[in-house]
């Protein structure tokens, strides 16, 4: 088998394996699951840390699409529609059972994966959401980016927890995901306008 093909197979299996058993699981078990020796595994990934770094790049960061940023900036489309479209895609392509389990295991293990994802990807998304919503409402976002991020976490956290409830808790809810996302978006935009007005009055 070509070396790159074998490496890709091991990496794919690693994402599956760590999502089921956690980041503290031993590489010996992963090697067995891959049907290779531990020595061969380490010939591709010299350390477990190196392997987990690649798992992060492929499994956590990989599903995110840069085109979503451009779509969120498209002011020809109403903000509520932009948000619904983005979060439906994000729910389907990022917030899968496997992704969520890896992300939660990384958080529990105090690994860098979760914070790296927040710093490298989510922070920009959260600030962008508040800035664009503020422009459409004819208001100004806070000059404090940390404040904007906290405001946007209200929506992002709600969508993320929706996925956790359905994929992790197996919460039986008959409402279609699309309907729930649209509801959260409406509530968020309504509350955001009130919050931005209150912030501007303080200035």
């Amino acid at each position: 088998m070509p070396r790159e093909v074998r490496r890709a197979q091991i990496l794919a299996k690693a994402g599956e394996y760590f999502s089921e058993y956690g980041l503290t699981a031993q590489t010996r078990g992963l090697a067995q699951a891959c049907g290779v020796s531990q020595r061969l595994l380490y010939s591709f990934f010299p350390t477990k840390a190196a392997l987990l770094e690649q798992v992060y790049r492929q499994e956590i960061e990989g599903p995110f699409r840069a085109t979503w940023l451009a779509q969120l900036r498209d002011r020809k489309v109403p903000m509520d529609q932009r948000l619904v479209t983005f979060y439906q895609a994000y729910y389907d392509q990022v917030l899968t059972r496997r992704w969520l389990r890896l992300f939660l295991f990384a958080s529990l293990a105090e690994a860098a994966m979760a914070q790296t994802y927040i710093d490298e990807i989510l922070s920009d998304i959260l600030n962008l959401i508040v800035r664009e919503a503020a422009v459409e409402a004819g208001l100004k976002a806070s000059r404090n980016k940390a404040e904007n991020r906290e405001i946007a976490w209200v929506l992002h956290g709600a969508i993320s927890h929706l996925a956790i409830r359905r994929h992790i808790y197996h919460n039986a809810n008959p409402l279609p995901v699309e309907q729930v996302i649209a509801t959260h978006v409406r509530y968020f935009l309504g509350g955001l306008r009130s919050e931005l007005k209150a912030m501007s009055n303080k200035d």
Side-chain angles (χ1 to χ4, degrees):
M1 181 180 295
R3 186 172 175 81
E4 283 305 307
V5 174
R6 175 67 78 182
R7 183 183 185 278
Q9 286 184 345
I10 292 173
L11 189 54
K13 193 67 177 180
E16 177 187 329
Y17 183 80
F18 289 122
S19 73
E20 291 301 321
Y21 301 107
L23 272 62
T24 58
Q26 296 184 348
T27 55
R28 183 180 295 107
L30 171 60
Q32 291 175 349
C34 293
V36 302
S37 67
Q38 197 170 14
R39 182 177 178 180
L40 179 59
L41 189 150
Y42 279 120
S43 75
F44 290 101
F45 306 98
T47 64
K48 184 178 179 182
L51 172 60
L52 289 176
E53 171 66 19
Q54 292 306 308
V55 168
Y56 167 78
R57 294 300 171 192
Q58 178 164 297
E59 300 286 339
I60 299 295
E61 182 186 77
F64 189 86
R65 298 289 174 260
T67 54
W68 293 338
L69 293 168
Q71 291 168 359
L72 283 169
R73 293 190 184 100
D74 185 1
R75 293 178 182 172
K76 297 188 296 294
V77 180
M79 193 64 202
D80 60 342
Q81 187 176 329
R82 279 183 267 169
L83 287 174
V84 168
T85 299
F86 166 66
Y87 274 112
Q88 284 181 355
Y90 191 83
Y91 182 96
D92 290 337
Q93 298 177 46
V94 177
L95 299 177
T96 62
R97 177 185 182 276
R98 179 156 150 175
W99 191 97
L100 288 167
R101 287 178 64 89
L102 269 174
F103 195 84
L104 293 172
F105 274 132
S107 302
L108 292 171
E110 298 185 356
M113 283 187 187
Q115 191 58 49
T116 299
Y117 182 78
I118 291 170
D119 292 342
E120 291 185 349
I121 294 178
L122 270 192
S123 291
D124 289 341
I125 284 287
L126 299 177
N127 278 308
L128 175 60
I129 285 172
V130 172
R131 288 199 310 270
E132 289 298 314
V135 168
E136 183 175 85
L139 298 166
K140 291 184 179 180
S142 172
R143 290 188 293 271
N144 186 330
K145 290 185 177 180
E147 195 168 34
N148 289 333
R149 288 194 295 270
E150 284 303 312
I151 293 171
W153 267 115
V154 172
L155 176 59
H156 192 86
I159 304 302
S160 297
H161 199 259
L162 170 64
I164 290 171
R165 284 188 285 121
R166 300 212 172 182
H167 295 316
I168 307 298
Y169 301 164
H170 302 294
N171 174 237
N173 189 324
L175 295 178
V177 168
E178 295 80 4
Q179 178 182 339
V180 179
I181 289 174
T183 298
H184 282 304
V185 166
R186 286 195 301 271
Y187 275 110
F188 170 73
L189 289 175
L192 176 69
R193 294 184 187 98
S194 297
E195 180 62 20
L196 291 179
K197 287 177 182 177
M199 287 164 52
S200 64
N201 290 335
K202 291 178 183 178
D203 295 341

